[in-house]
Amino acid sequence: MSVLERELNEHEKLEQFIARIEAGDKIEADDWMPEEYRMALIKLISMHGISEIMGALPEKEWVPKAPSLRRKLGIMAKVQDEMGHGQLLLRVAEDLLKPYRKDRGDLMMDLFSGKLKFHNVFHMPAKTWADAGVIGWLVDGAAIITQTNMLNASYGPYSRALHRICAEEVFHAHHGESIIMALAEGTEEQKQMLQESLNGWWEALLMFFGPASSTTTGSSKQDVTIKYKIRTSTNEELRQSFFTKYIPRILSLGLTIPDPTLRFDEEQKVWIYQQPDWTKFKQIITNNGPRSQARLNLRRVSYENNAWVRDALSAASN
């Protein structure tokens, strides 16, 4: 087959692929897909999976310090769920990696080298019990908004995984909300701790959805994922949805949002707010956040110490 014939064949395959996703068909792991689509999925799903695993670490720190047995059991179950989500998503990513002869082990090496990023919020410290509540209520709430936007993703294995994950994330958000409500109805000291936690997390929550466009930070994959119907909304649309859902709830608890410019523009029907420091965002996601190295080191030591388990399972399957 000549070069021209191969190019025409690839063009025909691409047209058929676009027609399938436009018709609402689900793409499966063994189906033909353009390289751009495969790479976008690998980056998105591997980052999502690793973020689930790294995201369990801030709350893991509170398992021995939770204020009651009931809270301890609740946060232990949540940590277990998050690790399970991570493993499920890495298996989905692993199928996409097969043409490159790579697997989950390669993804872990990419994490340790800094090539694979994880969500900015999980680089942050969780110093107080209020921080554990904010993670459960607002961070998981933000995650639910982004993930439900991809429930009907064109890639079938990811879509199916998200249906299971989102169902469990709803329980996680309720868990966090119950912590927040108890603190908001508690002593003045507890209310102050909650306000300080919100102050500390607010900028990170805005960053969670990513920049509005690539001009903000120099890179953004939202256009590619929307193009291939992996998601339907832009980063800014998701951030606006978060504001609409959570700002009234936050204010109803007597809390103050740490942004004096925040207001809803009735004419434009959008929330006006102070932009986070996107330079700081780039520093954080390149593993220069407050807890980046400590959590990476914990993950690295755990991975190395448990190598014998992977070796044993691998030997048993051969």
Side-chain angles (χ1 to χ4, degrees):
M1 184 182 292
S2 68
V3 173
L4 178 59
E5 287 174 325
R6 281 198 298 270
E7 288 178 351
L8 288 172
N9 188 40
E10 288 294 303
H11 181 70
E12 184 178 328
K13 286 181 179 178
L14 179 59
E15 287 186 337
Q16 292 172 351
F17 177 86
I18 295 297
R20 283 189 64 191
I21 62 174
E22 289 292 338
D25 287 356
K26 296 298 184 191
I27 307 302
E28 300 299 331
D30 293 333
D31 291 346
W32 183 90
M33 62 186 73
E35 188 75 1
E36 183 181 45
Y37 181 78
R38 183 182 295 274
M39 293 307 297
L41 284 171
I42 289 171
K43 181 167 184 176
L44 171 65
I45 299 170
S46 58
M47 189 275 283
H48 185 178
I50 287 294
S51 294
E52 293 278 358
I53 292 171
M54 299 302 289
L57 300 183
E59 291 173 299
K60 173 180 174 290
E61 296 168 8
W62 276 96
V63 169
K65 300 183 290 184
S68 70
L69 178 59
R70 182 171 68 88
R71 295 296 191 193
K72 188 186 298 287
L73 291 172
I75 204 163
M76 284 175 65
K78 186 175 184 298
V79 167
Q80 184 179 24
D81 282 350
E82 304 293 13
M83 297 299 287
H85 296 170
Q87 294 302 324
L88 174 62
L89 290 165
L90 292 185
R91 286 199 295 271
V92 173
E94 195 170 36
D95 286 340
L96 290 161
L97 287 166
K98 285 180 180 177
Y100 311 111
R101 298 183 183 279
K102 293 185 176 181
D103 57 23
R104 277 175 286 178
D106 294 295
L107 292 178
M108 296 307 297
M109 292 302 105
D110 287 346
L111 171 67
F112 301 145
S113 70
K115 183 179 178 181
L116 176 56
K117 307 294 192 293
F118 60 98
H119 261 304
N120 69 291
V121 287
F122 303 128
H123 296 256
M124 308 307 290
K127 298 178 181 178
T128 70
W129 181 239
D131 291 335
V134 167
I135 292 171
W137 186 39
L138 297 179
V139 173
D140 283 4
I144 290 169
I145 287 171
T146 60
Q147 291 167 21
T148 53
N149 188 250
M150 298 185 288
L151 281 176
N152 292 315
S154 58
Y155 187 59
Y158 190 41
S159 172
R160 292 189 291 272
L162 284 174
H163 276 83
R164 172 180 168 179
I165 289 169
C166 287
E168 293 180 354
E169 291 292 355
V170 170
F171 288 105
H172 298 172
H174 288 324
H175 164 80
E177 186 175 21
S178 71
I179 296 173
I180 296 297
M181 292 298 293
L183 294 173
E185 296 170 357
T187 65
E188 289 303 316
E189 184 180 7
Q190 288 173 321
K191 293 176 184 177
Q192 181 61 29
M193 178 174 65
L194 180 54
Q195 181 64 61
E196 289 173 0
S197 180
L198 178 63
N199 294 347
W201 281 92
W202 186 250
E203 185 177 47
L205 286 164
L206 300 189
M207 293 175 178
F208 180 91
F209 299 96
S213 70
S214 59
T215 58
T216 307
T217 60
S219 66
S220 175
K221 297 297 182 183
Q222 62 181 325
D223 294 340
V224 173
T225 52
I226 291 173
K227 168 186 171 182
Y228 287 117
K229 296 190 178 298
I230 300 168
R231 63 191 286 189
T232 59
S233 300
T234 66
N235 293 347
E236 188 57 35
E237 287 168 343
L238 295 172
R239 191 163 24 245
Q240 290 287 325
S241 295
F242 175 80
F243 287 152
T244 298
K245 180 174 182 178
Y246 283 101
I247 285 175
R249 298 185 186 192
I250 292 169
L251 296 177
S252 72
L253 297 177
L255 296 167
T256 301
I257 294 173
D259 180 358
T261 70
L262 182 69
R263 63 183 178 85
F264 186 73
D265 189 306
E266 290 288 350
E267 185 176 336
Q268 299 183 62
K269 301 299 180 184
V270 297
W271 291 92
I272 307 299
Y273 63 97
Q274 183 177 335
Q275 286 288 323
D277 184 345
W278 291 108
T279 301
K280 186 190 296 184
F281 173 78
K282 288 196 288 186
Q283 292 174 343
I284 290 170
I285 63 170
T286 52
N287 297 333
N288 292 302
R291 296 285 292 165
S292 303
Q293 292 305 316
R295 293 199 179 122
L296 280 168
N297 287 338
L298 181 60
R299 184 68 253 167
R300 186 181 293 108
V301 168
S302 175
Y303 189 78
E304 292 171 354
N305 288 347
N306 290 291
W308 68 272
V309 178
R310 296 190 299 275
D311 291 343
L313 290 173
S314 178
S317 65
N318 292 331

